[in-house]
Every structure is written in structure tokens, then in C-alpha cells.
PDB file of all heavy atoms in Angstrom:
ATOM      1  N   LYS A   1       5.387  21.772  15.763  1.00 92.00           N
ATOM      2  CA  LYS A   1       4.825  22.843  16.599  1.00 92.00           C
ATOM      3  C   LYS A   1       4.361  22.318  17.952  1.00 92.00           C
ATOM      4  O   LYS A   1       3.298  22.686  18.448  1.00 92.00           O
ATOM      5  CB  LYS A   1       3.691  23.553  15.867  1.00 92.00           C
ATOM      6  CG  LYS A   1       4.128  24.268  14.637  1.00 92.00           C
ATOM      7  CD  LYS A   1       3.336  25.511  14.440  1.00 92.00           C
ATOM      8  CE  LYS A   1       3.865  26.206  13.210  1.00 92.00           C
ATOM      9  NZ  LYS A   1       3.934  27.611  13.393  1.00 92.00           N
ATOM     10  N   GLY A   2       5.139  21.430  18.533  1.00 90.00           N
ATOM     11  CA  GLY A   2       4.824  20.891  19.844  1.00 90.00           C
ATOM     12  C   GLY A   2       3.843  19.732  19.846  1.00 90.00           C
ATOM     13  O   GLY A   2       3.475  19.234  20.902  1.00 90.00           O
ATOM     14  N   ILE A   3       3.422  19.300  18.676  1.00 92.00           N
ATOM     15  CA  ILE A   3       2.471  18.183  18.566  1.00 92.00           C
ATOM     16  C   ILE A   3       3.250  16.931  18.191  1.00 92.00           C
ATOM     17  O   ILE A   3       3.826  16.851  17.104  1.00 92.00           O
ATOM     18  CB  ILE A   3       1.406  18.452  17.482  1.00 92.00           C
ATOM     19  CG1 ILE A   3       0.676  19.760  17.741  1.00 92.00           C
ATOM     20  CG2 ILE A   3       0.431  17.291  17.399  1.00 92.00           C
ATOM     21  CD1 ILE A   3      -0.175  20.212  16.566  1.00 92.00           C
ATOM     22  N   PRO A   4       3.283  15.927  19.079  1.00 92.00           N
ATOM     23  CA  PRO A   4       3.955  14.681  18.715  1.00 92.00           C
ATOM     24  C   PRO A   4       3.164  13.921  17.644  1.00 92.00           C
ATOM     25  O   PRO A   4       1.950  13.811  17.727  1.00 92.00           O
ATOM     26  CB  PRO A   4       4.003  13.890  20.016  1.00 92.00           C
ATOM     27  CG  PRO A   4       3.206  14.636  21.003  1.00 92.00           C
ATOM     28  CD  PRO A   4       2.788  15.934  20.428  1.00 92.00           C
ATOM     29  N   VAL A   5       3.863  13.437  16.645  1.00 92.00           N
ATOM     30  CA  VAL A   5       3.254  12.654  15.572  1.00 92.00           C
ATOM     31  C   VAL A   5       3.769  11.226  15.714  1.00 92.00           C
ATOM     32  O   VAL A   5       4.973  10.999  15.717  1.00 92.00           O
ATOM     33  CB  VAL A   5       3.613  13.224  14.183  1.00 92.00           C
ATOM     34  CG1 VAL A   5       3.020  12.370  13.078  1.00 92.00           C
ATOM     35  CG2 VAL A   5       3.146  14.665  14.065  1.00 92.00           C
ATOM     36  N   GLY A   6       2.827  10.303  15.852  1.00 91.00           N
ATOM     37  CA  GLY A   6       3.202   8.914  16.059  1.00 91.00           C
ATOM     38  C   GLY A   6       2.584   7.984  15.040  1.00 91.00           C
ATOM     39  O   GLY A   6       1.704   8.362  14.272  1.00 91.00           O
ATOM     40  N   LEU A   7       3.070   6.761  15.058  1.00 90.00           N
ATOM     41  CA  LEU A   7       2.611   5.735  14.137  1.00 90.00           C
ATOM     42  C   LEU A   7       2.193   4.515  14.941  1.00 90.00           C
ATOM     43  O   LEU A   7       2.971   3.995  15.742  1.00 90.00           O
ATOM     44  CB  LEU A   7       3.741   5.364  13.170  1.00 90.00           C
ATOM     45  CG  LEU A   7       3.436   4.376  12.073  1.00 90.00           C
ATOM     46  CD1 LEU A   7       2.440   4.978  11.096  1.00 90.00           C
ATOM     47  CD2 LEU A   7       4.715   4.011  11.345  1.00 90.00           C
ATOM     48  N   ASN A   8       0.972   4.073  14.735  1.00 90.00           N
ATOM     49  CA  ASN A   8       0.468   2.875  15.384  1.00 90.00           C
ATOM     50  C   ASN A   8       0.877   1.661  14.560  1.00 90.00           C
ATOM     51  O   ASN A   8       0.943   1.731  13.335  1.00 90.00           O
ATOM     52  CB  ASN A   8      -1.058   2.967  15.508  1.00 90.00           C
ATOM     53  CG  ASN A   8      -1.635   1.881  16.372  1.00 90.00           C
ATOM     54  OD1 ASN A   8      -1.673   0.732  15.983  1.00 90.00           O
ATOM     55  ND2 ASN A   8      -2.086   2.259  17.550  1.00 90.00           N
ATOM     56  N   TRP A   9       1.124   0.544  15.218  1.00 87.00           N
ATOM     57  CA  TRP A   9       1.582  -0.655  14.525  1.00 87.00           C
ATOM     58  C   TRP A   9       0.571  -1.148  13.502  1.00 87.00           C
ATOM     59  O   TRP A   9       0.934  -1.815  12.536  1.00 87.00           O
ATOM     60  CB  TRP A   9       1.915  -1.755  15.517  1.00 87.00           C
ATOM     61  CG  TRP A   9       0.729  -2.297  16.240  1.00 87.00           C
ATOM     62  CD1 TRP A   9       0.203  -1.845  17.412  1.00 87.00           C
ATOM     63  CD2 TRP A   9      -0.111  -3.381  15.839  1.00 87.00           C
ATOM     64  NE1 TRP A   9      -0.898  -2.567  17.762  1.00 87.00           N
ATOM     65  CE2 TRP A   9      -1.118  -3.524  16.803  1.00 87.00           C
ATOM     66  CE3 TRP A   9      -0.104  -4.241  14.742  1.00 87.00           C
ATOM     67  CZ2 TRP A   9      -2.108  -4.484  16.708  1.00 87.00           C
ATOM     68  CZ3 TRP A   9      -1.101  -5.207  14.658  1.00 87.00           C
ATOM     69  CH2 TRP A   9      -2.084  -5.322  15.636  1.00 87.00           C
ATOM     70  N   THR A  10      -0.711  -0.825  13.649  1.00 90.00           N
ATOM     71  CA  THR A  10      -1.731  -1.286  12.702  1.00 90.00           C
ATOM     72  C   THR A  10      -1.560  -0.649  11.325  1.00 90.00           C
ATOM     73  O   THR A  10      -2.022  -1.199  10.332  1.00 90.00           O
ATOM     74  CB  THR A  10      -3.140  -1.001  13.230  1.00 90.00           C
ATOM     75  OG1 THR A  10      -3.271   0.398  13.497  1.00 90.00           O
ATOM     76  CG2 THR A  10      -3.419  -1.790  14.492  1.00 90.00           C
ATOM     77  N   TRP A  11      -0.867   0.495  11.271  1.00 90.00           N
ATOM     78  CA  TRP A  11      -0.636   1.130   9.982  1.00 90.00           C
ATOM     79  C   TRP A  11       0.220   0.257   9.087  1.00 90.00           C
ATOM     80  O   TRP A  11       0.081   0.297   7.863  1.00 90.00           O
ATOM     81  CB  TRP A  11      -0.001   2.505  10.175  1.00 90.00           C
ATOM     82  CG  TRP A  11      -1.041   3.531  10.471  1.00 90.00           C
ATOM     83  CD1 TRP A  11      -1.655   3.757  11.661  1.00 90.00           C
ATOM     84  CD2 TRP A  11      -1.628   4.441   9.553  1.00 90.00           C
ATOM     85  NE1 TRP A  11      -2.566   4.750  11.539  1.00 90.00           N
ATOM     86  CE2 TRP A  11      -2.578   5.195  10.251  1.00 90.00           C
ATOM     87  CE3 TRP A  11      -1.425   4.685   8.201  1.00 90.00           C
ATOM     88  CZ2 TRP A  11      -3.332   6.175   9.643  1.00 90.00           C
ATOM     89  CZ3 TRP A  11      -2.181   5.679   7.610  1.00 90.00           C
ATOM     90  CH2 TRP A  11      -3.119   6.406   8.321  1.00 90.00           C
ATOM     91  N   MET A  12       1.100  -0.536   9.653  1.00 90.00           N
ATOM     92  CA  MET A  12       1.919  -1.431   8.836  1.00 90.00           C
ATOM     93  C   MET A  12       1.033  -2.462   8.137  1.00 90.00           C
ATOM     94  O   MET A  12       1.225  -2.756   6.954  1.00 90.00           O
ATOM     95  CB  MET A  12       2.975  -2.136   9.702  1.00 90.00           C
ATOM     96  CG  MET A  12       3.910  -3.011   8.907  1.00 90.00           C
ATOM     97  SD  MET A  12       4.805  -2.156   7.602  1.00 90.00           S
ATOM     98  CE  MET A  12       5.931  -1.193   8.552  1.00 90.00           C
ATOM     99  N   PHE A  13       0.053  -2.969   8.842  1.00 94.00           N
ATOM    100  CA  PHE A  13      -0.884  -3.917   8.252  1.00 94.00           C
ATOM    101  C   PHE A  13      -1.648  -3.259   7.102  1.00 94.00           C
ATOM    102  O   PHE A  13      -1.778  -3.841   6.019  1.00 94.00           O
ATOM    103  CB  PHE A  13      -1.855  -4.442   9.318  1.00 94.00           C
ATOM    104  CG  PHE A  13      -2.933  -5.311   8.782  1.00 94.00           C
ATOM    105  CD1 PHE A  13      -2.665  -6.596   8.348  1.00 94.00           C
ATOM    106  CD2 PHE A  13      -4.234  -4.846   8.703  1.00 94.00           C
ATOM    107  CE1 PHE A  13      -3.664  -7.407   7.834  1.00 94.00           C
ATOM    108  CE2 PHE A  13      -5.241  -5.640   8.194  1.00 94.00           C
ATOM    109  CZ  PHE A  13      -4.951  -6.925   7.751  1.00 94.00           C
ATOM    110  N   VAL A  14      -2.132  -2.054   7.313  1.00 95.00           N
ATOM    111  CA  VAL A  14      -2.881  -1.346   6.275  1.00 95.00           C
ATOM    112  C   VAL A  14      -1.961  -1.003   5.097  1.00 95.00           C
ATOM    113  O   VAL A  14      -2.356  -1.122   3.938  1.00 95.00           O
ATOM    114  CB  VAL A  14      -3.558  -0.077   6.853  1.00 95.00           C
ATOM    115  CG1 VAL A  14      -4.251   0.713   5.766  1.00 95.00           C
ATOM    116  CG2 VAL A  14      -4.537  -0.455   7.947  1.00 95.00           C
ATOM    117  N   PHE A  15      -0.726  -0.590   5.383  1.00 96.00           N
ATOM    118  CA  PHE A  15       0.241  -0.290   4.328  1.00 96.00           C
ATOM    119  C   PHE A  15       0.450  -1.510   3.436  1.00 96.00           C
ATOM    120  O   PHE A  15       0.402  -1.414   2.214  1.00 96.00           O
ATOM    121  CB  PHE A  15       1.574   0.155   4.947  1.00 96.00           C
ATOM    122  CG  PHE A  15       2.597   0.609   3.947  1.00 96.00           C
ATOM    123  CD1 PHE A  15       2.730   1.953   3.654  1.00 96.00           C
ATOM    124  CD2 PHE A  15       3.423  -0.300   3.309  1.00 96.00           C
ATOM    125  CE1 PHE A  15       3.662   2.382   2.728  1.00 96.00           C
ATOM    126  CE2 PHE A  15       4.354   0.118   2.383  1.00 96.00           C
ATOM    127  CZ  PHE A  15       4.480   1.473   2.088  1.00 96.00           C
ATOM    128  N   ILE A  16       0.670  -2.659   4.061  1.00 97.00           N
ATOM    129  CA  ILE A  16       0.893  -3.893   3.305  1.00 97.00           C
ATOM    130  C   ILE A  16      -0.349  -4.271   2.495  1.00 97.00           C
ATOM    131  O   ILE A  16      -0.246  -4.666   1.329  1.00 97.00           O
ATOM    132  CB  ILE A  16       1.317  -5.034   4.247  1.00 97.00           C
ATOM    133  CG1 ILE A  16       2.719  -4.754   4.798  1.00 97.00           C
ATOM    134  CG2 ILE A  16       1.270  -6.388   3.547  1.00 97.00           C
ATOM    135  CD1 ILE A  16       3.132  -5.649   5.935  1.00 97.00           C
ATOM    136  N   LEU A  17      -1.515  -4.113   3.081  1.00 97.00           N
ATOM    137  CA  LEU A  17      -2.759  -4.445   2.387  1.00 97.00           C
ATOM    138  C   LEU A  17      -2.975  -3.551   1.169  1.00 97.00           C
ATOM    139  O   LEU A  17      -3.320  -4.038   0.083  1.00 97.00           O
ATOM    140  CB  LEU A  17      -3.936  -4.332   3.356  1.00 97.00           C
ATOM    141  CG  LEU A  17      -5.293  -4.776   2.847  1.00 97.00           C
ATOM    142  CD1 LEU A  17      -5.264  -6.256   2.490  1.00 97.00           C
ATOM    143  CD2 LEU A  17      -6.346  -4.508   3.906  1.00 97.00           C
ATOM    144  N   VAL A  18      -2.770  -2.249   1.318  1.00 98.00           N
ATOM    145  CA  VAL A  18      -2.923  -1.320   0.187  1.00 98.00           C
ATOM    146  C   VAL A  18      -1.869  -1.619  -0.880  1.00 98.00           C
ATOM    147  O   VAL A  18      -2.187  -1.694  -2.073  1.00 98.00           O
ATOM    148  CB  VAL A  18      -2.835   0.147   0.672  1.00 98.00           C
ATOM    149  CG1 VAL A  18      -2.751   1.117  -0.496  1.00 98.00           C
ATOM    150  CG2 VAL A  18      -4.024   0.492   1.565  1.00 98.00           C
ATOM    151  N   PHE A  19      -0.629  -1.801  -0.454  1.00 98.00           N
ATOM    152  CA  PHE A  19       0.460  -2.107  -1.390  1.00 98.00           C
ATOM    153  C   PHE A  19       0.155  -3.381  -2.175  1.00 98.00           C
ATOM    154  O   PHE A  19       0.272  -3.415  -3.409  1.00 98.00           O
ATOM    155  CB  PHE A  19       1.773  -2.249  -0.617  1.00 98.00           C
ATOM    156  CG  PHE A  19       2.924  -2.714  -1.446  1.00 98.00           C
ATOM    157  CD1 PHE A  19       3.584  -1.837  -2.285  1.00 98.00           C
ATOM    158  CD2 PHE A  19       3.345  -4.036  -1.397  1.00 98.00           C
ATOM    159  CE1 PHE A  19       4.655  -2.268  -3.058  1.00 98.00           C
ATOM    160  CE2 PHE A  19       4.402  -4.469  -2.172  1.00 98.00           C
ATOM    161  CZ  PHE A  19       5.063  -3.578  -2.997  1.00 98.00           C
ATOM    162  N   TRP A  20      -0.246  -4.423  -1.493  1.00 98.00           N
ATOM    163  CA  TRP A  20      -0.532  -5.707  -2.135  1.00 98.00           C
ATOM    164  C   TRP A  20      -1.684  -5.578  -3.133  1.00 98.00           C
ATOM    165  O   TRP A  20      -1.616  -6.098  -4.252  1.00 98.00           O
ATOM    166  CB  TRP A  20      -0.853  -6.758  -1.080  1.00 98.00           C
ATOM    167  CG  TRP A  20      -1.345  -8.032  -1.671  1.00 98.00           C
ATOM    168  CD1 TRP A  20      -0.614  -9.009  -2.274  1.00 98.00           C
ATOM    169  CD2 TRP A  20      -2.706  -8.456  -1.759  1.00 98.00           C
ATOM    170  NE1 TRP A  20      -1.427 -10.011  -2.725  1.00 98.00           N
ATOM    171  CE2 TRP A  20      -2.726  -9.699  -2.418  1.00 98.00           C
ATOM    172  CE3 TRP A  20      -3.910  -7.891  -1.335  1.00 98.00           C
ATOM    173  CZ2 TRP A  20      -3.899 -10.384  -2.663  1.00 98.00           C
ATOM    174  CZ3 TRP A  20      -5.071  -8.579  -1.579  1.00 98.00           C
ATOM    175  CH2 TRP A  20      -5.066  -9.815  -2.238  1.00 98.00           C
ATOM    176  N   SER A  21      -2.757  -4.883  -2.737  1.00 98.00           N
ATOM    177  CA  SER A  21      -3.904  -4.773  -3.639  1.00 98.00           C
ATOM    178  C   SER A  21      -3.564  -3.951  -4.882  1.00 98.00           C
ATOM    179  O   SER A  21      -4.031  -4.265  -5.982  1.00 98.00           O
ATOM    180  CB  SER A  21      -5.117  -4.193  -2.916  1.00 98.00           C
ATOM    181  OG  SER A  21      -4.866  -2.878  -2.496  1.00 98.00           O
ATOM    182  N   LEU A  22      -2.738  -2.927  -4.733  1.00 98.00           N
ATOM    183  CA  LEU A  22      -2.327  -2.149  -5.904  1.00 98.00           C
ATOM    184  C   LEU A  22      -1.410  -2.961  -6.816  1.00 98.00           C
ATOM    185  O   LEU A  22      -1.579  -2.974  -8.030  1.00 98.00           O
ATOM    186  CB  LEU A  22      -1.615  -0.866  -5.464  1.00 98.00           C
ATOM    187  CG  LEU A  22      -2.471   0.203  -4.808  1.00 98.00           C
ATOM    188  CD1 LEU A  22      -1.601   1.342  -4.308  1.00 98.00           C
ATOM    189  CD2 LEU A  22      -3.537   0.710  -5.749  1.00 98.00           C
ATOM    190  N   ALA A  23      -0.423  -3.634  -6.219  1.00 98.00           N
ATOM    191  CA  ALA A  23       0.583  -4.357  -7.010  1.00 98.00           C
ATOM    192  C   ALA A  23       0.038  -5.610  -7.672  1.00 98.00           C
ATOM    193  O   ALA A  23       0.487  -5.982  -8.758  1.00 98.00           O
ATOM    194  CB  ALA A  23       1.774  -4.718  -6.128  1.00 98.00           C
ATOM    195  N   SER A  24      -0.918  -6.259  -7.032  1.00 97.00           N
ATOM    196  CA  SER A  24      -1.358  -7.550  -7.572  1.00 97.00           C
ATOM    197  C   SER A  24      -2.697  -7.505  -8.297  1.00 97.00           C
ATOM    198  O   SER A  24      -2.987  -8.411  -9.080  1.00 97.00           O
ATOM    199  CB  SER A  24      -1.433  -8.585  -6.447  1.00 97.00           C
ATOM    200  OG  SER A  24      -2.429  -8.220  -5.519  1.00 97.00           O
ATOM    201  N   VAL A  25      -3.483  -6.463  -8.066  1.00 96.00           N
ATOM    202  CA  VAL A  25      -4.810  -6.426  -8.686  1.00 96.00           C
ATOM    203  C   VAL A  25      -5.000  -5.175  -9.554  1.00 96.00           C
ATOM    204  O   VAL A  25      -5.218  -5.276 -10.758  1.00 96.00           O
ATOM    205  CB  VAL A  25      -5.927  -6.496  -7.616  1.00 96.00           C
ATOM    206  CG1 VAL A  25      -7.296  -6.416  -8.263  1.00 96.00           C
ATOM    207  CG2 VAL A  25      -5.798  -7.751  -6.774  1.00 96.00           C
ATOM    208  N   LEU A  26      -4.939  -4.023  -8.954  1.00 97.00           N
ATOM    209  CA  LEU A  26      -5.314  -2.798  -9.663  1.00 97.00           C
ATOM    210  C   LEU A  26      -4.374  -2.467 -10.820  1.00 97.00           C
ATOM    211  O   LEU A  26      -4.819  -2.298 -11.960  1.00 97.00           O
ATOM    212  CB  LEU A  26      -5.382  -1.617  -8.689  1.00 97.00           C
ATOM    213  CG  LEU A  26      -5.846  -0.313  -9.332  1.00 97.00           C
ATOM    214  CD1 LEU A  26      -7.328  -0.386  -9.637  1.00 97.00           C
ATOM    215  CD2 LEU A  26      -5.521   0.866  -8.470  1.00 97.00           C
ATOM    216  N   PHE A  27      -3.089  -2.347 -10.555  1.00 98.00           N
ATOM    217  CA  PHE A  27      -2.156  -1.947 -11.612  1.00 98.00           C
ATOM    218  C   PHE A  27      -2.029  -2.984 -12.727  1.00 98.00           C
ATOM    219  O   PHE A  27      -2.017  -2.614 -13.904  1.00 98.00           O
ATOM    220  CB  PHE A  27      -0.802  -1.569 -11.031  1.00 98.00           C
ATOM    221  CG  PHE A  27      -0.827  -0.274 -10.264  1.00 98.00           C
ATOM    222  CD1 PHE A  27      -0.002  -0.083  -9.169  1.00 98.00           C
ATOM    223  CD2 PHE A  27      -1.666   0.774 -10.620  1.00 98.00           C
ATOM    224  CE1 PHE A  27      -0.012   1.114  -8.462  1.00 98.00           C
ATOM    225  CE2 PHE A  27      -1.687   1.970  -9.920  1.00 98.00           C
ATOM    226  CZ  PHE A  27      -0.867   2.142  -8.834  1.00 98.00           C
ATOM    227  N   PRO A  28      -1.955  -4.290 -12.433  1.00 97.00           N
ATOM    228  CA  PRO A  28      -1.912  -5.264 -13.544  1.00 97.00           C
ATOM    229  C   PRO A  28      -3.173  -5.240 -14.412  1.00 97.00           C
ATOM    230  O   PRO A  28      -3.096  -5.455 -15.621  1.00 97.00           O
ATOM    231  CB  PRO A  28      -1.751  -6.608 -12.841  1.00 97.00           C
ATOM    232  CG  PRO A  28      -1.076  -6.272 -11.556  1.00 97.00           C
ATOM    233  CD  PRO A  28      -1.655  -4.945 -11.154  1.00 97.00           C
ATOM    234  N   ASP A  29      -4.329  -4.971 -13.800  1.00 97.00           N
ATOM    235  CA  ASP A  29      -5.564  -4.891 -14.585  1.00 97.00           C
ATOM    236  C   ASP A  29      -5.612  -3.624 -15.433  1.00 97.00           C
ATOM    237  O   ASP A  29      -6.081  -3.651 -16.570  1.00 97.00           O
ATOM    238  CB  ASP A  29      -6.792  -4.932 -13.673  1.00 97.00           C
ATOM    239  CG  ASP A  29      -7.065  -6.310 -13.108  1.00 97.00           C
ATOM    240  OD1 ASP A  29      -6.441  -7.278 -13.582  1.00 97.00           O
ATOM    241  OD2 ASP A  29      -7.899  -6.410 -12.190  1.00 97.00           O
ATOM    242  N   ASP A  30      -5.163  -2.510 -14.867  1.00 96.00           N
ATOM    243  CA  ASP A  30      -5.232  -1.232 -15.573  1.00 96.00           C
ATOM    244  C   ASP A  30      -4.092  -1.009 -16.550  1.00 96.00           C
ATOM    245  O   ASP A  30      -4.234  -0.274 -17.526  1.00 96.00           O
ATOM    246  CB  ASP A  30      -5.268  -0.073 -14.572  1.00 96.00           C
ATOM    247  CG  ASP A  30      -6.599   0.028 -13.843  1.00 96.00           C
ATOM    248  OD1 ASP A  30      -7.560  -0.648 -14.264  1.00 96.00           O
ATOM    249  OD2 ASP A  30      -6.675   0.780 -12.853  1.00 96.00           O
ATOM    250  N   TYR A  31      -2.940  -1.592 -16.285  1.00 97.00           N
ATOM    251  CA  TYR A  31      -1.755  -1.419 -17.133  1.00 97.00           C
ATOM    252  C   TYR A  31      -1.138  -2.785 -17.449  1.00 97.00           C
ATOM    253  O   TYR A  31      -0.063  -3.117 -16.959  1.00 97.00           O
ATOM    254  CB  TYR A  31      -0.720  -0.530 -16.429  1.00 97.00           C
ATOM    255  CG  TYR A  31      -1.284   0.791 -15.988  1.00 97.00           C
ATOM    256  CD1 TYR A  31      -1.630   1.015 -14.659  1.00 97.00           C
ATOM    257  CD2 TYR A  31      -1.494   1.820 -16.901  1.00 97.00           C
ATOM    258  CE1 TYR A  31      -2.161   2.224 -14.255  1.00 97.00           C
ATOM    259  CE2 TYR A  31      -2.032   3.032 -16.509  1.00 97.00           C
ATOM    260  CZ  TYR A  31      -2.358   3.228 -15.185  1.00 97.00           C
ATOM    261  OH  TYR A  31      -2.901   4.428 -14.789  1.00 97.00           O
ATOM    262  N   PRO A  32      -1.796  -3.579 -18.284  1.00 97.00           N
ATOM    263  CA  PRO A  32      -1.287  -4.922 -18.575  1.00 97.00           C
ATOM    264  C   PRO A  32       0.014  -4.875 -19.375  1.00 97.00           C
ATOM    265  O   PRO A  32       0.281  -3.930 -20.118  1.00 97.00           O
ATOM    266  CB  PRO A  32      -2.411  -5.561 -19.395  1.00 97.00           C
ATOM    267  CG  PRO A  32      -3.173  -4.419 -19.967  1.00 97.00           C
ATOM    268  CD  PRO A  32      -3.033  -3.288 -19.003  1.00 97.00           C
ATOM    269  N   GLY A  33       0.834  -5.904 -19.187  1.00 96.00           N
ATOM    270  CA  GLY A  33       2.041  -6.063 -19.981  1.00 96.00           C
ATOM    271  C   GLY A  33       3.304  -5.497 -19.369  1.00 96.00           C
ATOM    272  O   GLY A  33       4.374  -5.625 -19.955  1.00 96.00           O
ATOM    273  N   LEU A  34       3.222  -4.875 -18.205  1.00 97.00           N
ATOM    274  CA  LEU A  34       4.421  -4.350 -17.554  1.00 97.00           C
ATOM    275  C   LEU A  34       5.092  -5.459 -16.741  1.00 97.00           C
ATOM    276  O   LEU A  34       4.486  -6.483 -16.435  1.00 97.00           O
ATOM    277  CB  LEU A  34       4.070  -3.178 -16.643  1.00 97.00           C
ATOM    278  CG  LEU A  34       3.443  -1.949 -17.308  1.00 97.00           C
ATOM    279  CD1 LEU A  34       3.091  -0.905 -16.264  1.00 97.00           C
ATOM    280  CD2 LEU A  34       4.379  -1.371 -18.349  1.00 97.00           C
ATOM    281  N   SER A  35       6.316  -5.228 -16.351  1.00 97.00           N
ATOM    282  CA  SER A  35       7.031  -6.221 -15.545  1.00 97.00           C
ATOM    283  C   SER A  35       6.537  -6.186 -14.098  1.00 97.00           C
ATOM    284  O   SER A  35       5.950  -5.193 -13.652  1.00 97.00           O
ATOM    285  CB  SER A  35       8.532  -5.940 -15.575  1.00 97.00           C
ATOM    286  OG  SER A  35       8.815  -4.737 -14.886  1.00 97.00           O
ATOM    287  N   ALA A  36       6.801  -7.254 -13.385  1.00 97.00           N
ATOM    288  CA  ALA A  36       6.422  -7.328 -11.973  1.00 97.00           C
ATOM    289  C   ALA A  36       7.111  -6.235 -11.166  1.00 97.00           C
ATOM    290  O   ALA A  36       6.517  -5.660 -10.252  1.00 97.00           O
ATOM    291  CB  ALA A  36       6.754  -8.701 -11.408  1.00 97.00           C
ATOM    292  N   THR A  37       8.343  -5.932 -11.526  1.00 97.00           N
ATOM    293  CA  THR A  37       9.082  -4.874 -10.831  1.00 97.00           C
ATOM    294  C   THR A  37       8.401  -3.521 -11.019  1.00 97.00           C
ATOM    295  O   THR A  37       8.345  -2.721 -10.089  1.00 97.00           O
ATOM    296  CB  THR A  37      10.538  -4.807 -11.350  1.00 97.00           C
ATOM    297  OG1 THR A  37      11.125  -6.098 -11.214  1.00 97.00           O
ATOM    298  CG2 THR A  37      11.350  -3.790 -10.584  1.00 97.00           C
ATOM    299  N   SER A  38       7.878  -3.290 -12.206  1.00 97.00           N
ATOM    300  CA  SER A  38       7.163  -2.029 -12.454  1.00 97.00           C
ATOM    301  C   SER A  38       5.922  -1.921 -11.582  1.00 97.00           C
ATOM    302  O   SER A  38       5.650  -0.864 -11.012  1.00 97.00           O
ATOM    303  CB  SER A  38       6.761  -1.932 -13.929  1.00 97.00           C
ATOM    304  OG  SER A  38       7.884  -1.864 -14.752  1.00 97.00           O
TER     305      SER A  38
END
């Protein structure tokens, strides 16, 4: 609707940080025994 939507480069850093914390800490603790790919 005429509003430009943009992405700042810092979002990539935050994306990686959230992804890493979920994949390496939260999900393995909450759902033990799954594969790394899962």
C-alpha cells in the first residue's frame, strides 16, 4: 500500500543468534534424543 518494507543488515545477526540458541540449547533440552537435523 505504498509503504516500502526493508531489512536492515543487523536482522541477519539476530536471525543467526535466535536460530543458534533454539537449535543448540532450547530444543535439545526440551526434546532430547532427536537428530541434529531435526
